[in-house]
Amino acid sequence: MKEKKQNLYETCLEMCSTCTPLVEPINNDAVFLDLSGCGESLTIIRKIARCIYKQAGFSLSIGLAASRFMARMAAECQDYSVCPPTSCRFISWPEARVCEVFPGHEKAFLAELPLHDFYPLPPGSKKKLIRAGFSRLGELFELSPHRLSILSAQDGYLLAALLQGIDPTPVTGLYPPSRLSYPVHFAEKCADLQIIEIALKEAAYKLAALLEAKHSSCLLLSLEITSGEDKYIAKRKLSSGCCRFEHMSNILLGLFKRGCPENAISGFLITLSDLQTLQFCQPDLFTHSFFYEQEQRQEKLEMIMESLDNRFPGVLRKGLAGDRREQILAFFDPWRLDLTQVQGTD
């Protein structure tokens, strides 16, 4: 039974990945999707739900909202009758039950929900708040972040933002496993290069952490920039795997400068492909220092080449390393010539 459920979940993920590159599996029984720019959301949702219903015979519980927190709250809502009709709508199909929270009405939707439905709070914190006399989420709206921290023993500023329906956490593309995707959306169109560079570096930091957790590196980086209805795509194929934050941020900055549109942008999508597992080997205690220094020099050289290639694309070339004997003799005779290259000439 467990294997059948896992196979069904994999089928669901595969179908989701054909609709959007941003598929984030959660706990083997739920999934977050970012359907921005993918078409009519309800049409996509019903297509996926029908597929699952035909294979398994049960309906899905789906939440549709502007943020991942609100989408999960809508999907897990047990009593829809307490929610104001101006804040959401409910759609019942044989294959799915959908709750859509209207943008800008998140606070009204949350106000009448019972406290035990607020999943960010652990059970101990919920019991503590209930003993203090709170029963609905709307009763927490007037509490300051400091007061929330004291009563719940959690991050009060994060809880205060969530109670307003604000969740800036993006949906990360973690499926299929051979690819990682990370989106960045600006609230308003942005033309400030400094802000864009900061956003690129933050995205590179998050992606580097994901690669570290997977013990992997990537060989292909893609940056898709959205400016109004137009999209600009820049790609970079690497000769060696990239997994470090500094290396990745330099490449992404270079890609952005190449594909940077003249107009302000509304966001971008970073995709890491061709993932390969990092290989670790046991160090040789006698020669490790020498090889470690060589690796450090090679990594430094690659970083310099990446930086220069971003500034002067398609101009730089790496040549072959000179013979060790010739390198040593060159210290004593700078005008030394390699006679092997001029043999046979007059």
Side-chain angles (χ1 to χ4, degrees):
M1 185 67 183
K2 186 177 180 181
E3 183 179 351
K4 184 179 179 181
K5 182 180 178 182
Q6 182 62 31
N7 292 337
L8 182 63
Y9 187 60
E10 286 290 332
T11 302
C12 177
L13 292 178
E14 288 178 9
M15 177 159 250
C16 292
S17 65
T18 62
C19 301
T20 172
L22 298 171
V23 179
E24 185 174 345
I26 303 293
N27 300 329
N28 289 331
D29 60 0
V31 60
F32 285 116
L33 303 179
D34 187 340
L35 300 177
S36 304
C38 298
E40 178 60 36
S41 300
L42 288 176
T43 303
I44 297 171
I45 288 171
R46 191 163 194 182
K47 177 184 174 182
I48 297 170
R50 277 178 176 171
C51 177
I52 302 301
Y53 187 74
K54 287 180 181 179
Q55 294 194 26
F58 61 82
S59 62
L60 302 179
S61 180
I62 301 173
L64 186 62
S67 67
R68 55 186 292 158
F69 163 71
M70 289 304 304
R72 181 169 174 179
M73 289 294 294
E76 296 180 355
C77 181
Q78 300 297 322
D79 186 6
Y80 296 145
S81 62
V82 301
C83 302
T86 56
S87 67
C88 58
R89 67 170 172 169
F90 305 99
I91 304 171
S92 181
W93 299 321
E95 58 272 14
R97 181 189 64 170
V98 181
C99 174
E100 180 182 5
V101 181
F102 301 138
H105 296 269
E106 291 87 355
K107 191 173 179 179
F109 176 82
L110 294 172
E112 298 301 324
L113 293 181
L115 185 60
H116 58 75
D117 285 353
F118 194 49
Y119 74 87
L121 280 180
S125 298
K126 291 178 184 177
K127 291 179 180 179
K128 189 175 179 181
L129 285 169
I130 291 172
R131 285 197 300 267
F134 297 97
S135 60
R136 296 179 298 105
L137 293 182
E139 296 170 352
L140 304 177
F141 289 169
E142 302 303 322
L143 296 179
S144 67
H146 179 66
R147 187 64 177 166
L148 278 172
S149 298
I150 294 174
L151 291 173
S152 65
Q154 302 295 316
D155 186 347
Y157 290 93
L158 175 60
L159 294 178
L162 293 178
L163 288 169
Q164 301 295 320
I166 300 172
D167 181 14
T169 309
V171 176
T172 307
L174 302 180
Y175 190 91
S178 60
R179 182 183 68 198
L180 288 176
S181 300
Y182 190 88
V184 173
H185 302 291
F186 297 109
E188 298 180 356
K189 287 188 176 182
C190 180
D192 191 329
L193 291 179
Q194 187 173 4
I195 294 176
I196 295 172
E197 287 185 8
I198 292 173
L200 280 169
K201 288 183 178 180
E202 289 179 353
Y205 182 81
K206 299 283 181 62
L207 287 168
L210 290 172
L211 285 175
E212 183 179 0
K214 293 170 68 73
H215 303 291
S216 302
S217 63
C218 69
L219 292 173
L220 179 64
L221 286 88
S222 173
L223 179 64
E224 181 181 301
I225 306 168
T226 304
S227 177
E229 298 296 327
D230 300 324
K231 292 187 177 181
Y232 304 84
I233 300 177
K235 296 184 179 181
R236 180 68 179 273
K237 182 72 174 178
L238 305 175
S239 57
S240 59
C242 171
C243 61
R244 299 194 178 189
F245 157 68
E246 297 85 358
H247 190 190
M248 191 181 302
S249 60
N250 282 338
I251 295 174
L252 291 175
L253 289 173
L255 289 176
F256 178 78
K257 290 175 181 177
R258 290 187 196 181
C260 179
E262 296 180 358
N263 302 324
I265 69 172
S266 54
F268 54 82
L269 174 67
I270 302 171
T271 303
L272 309 183
S273 311
D274 294 350
L275 302 188
Q276 59 179 6
T277 304
L278 293 173
Q279 301 295 328
F280 298 95
C281 57
Q282 187 174 358
D284 186 340
L285 297 179
F286 297 98
T287 58
H288 179 253
S289 176
F290 171 72
F291 286 111
Y292 177 75
E293 291 175 358
Q294 277 191 326
E295 291 175 0
Q296 290 291 98
R297 286 197 295 269
Q298 182 64 26
E299 288 181 4
K300 187 176 180 180
L301 175 62
E302 290 179 359
M303 291 284 292
I304 294 172
M305 289 296 295
E306 289 286 351
S307 178
L308 290 173
D309 190 45
N310 290 334
R311 293 179 60 188
F312 311 102
V315 176
L316 301 177
R317 295 289 185 274
K318 284 198 297 186
L320 296 174
D323 180 74
R324 181 64 175 169
R325 178 173 176 273
E326 292 297 327
Q327 290 179 1
I328 294 174
L329 291 173
F331 283 110
F332 303 99
D333 185 4
W335 302 100
R336 183 177 178 81
L337 298 175
D338 188 357
L339 299 179
T340 59
Q341 297 183 3
V342 294
Q343 288 181 354
T345 60
D346 295 332

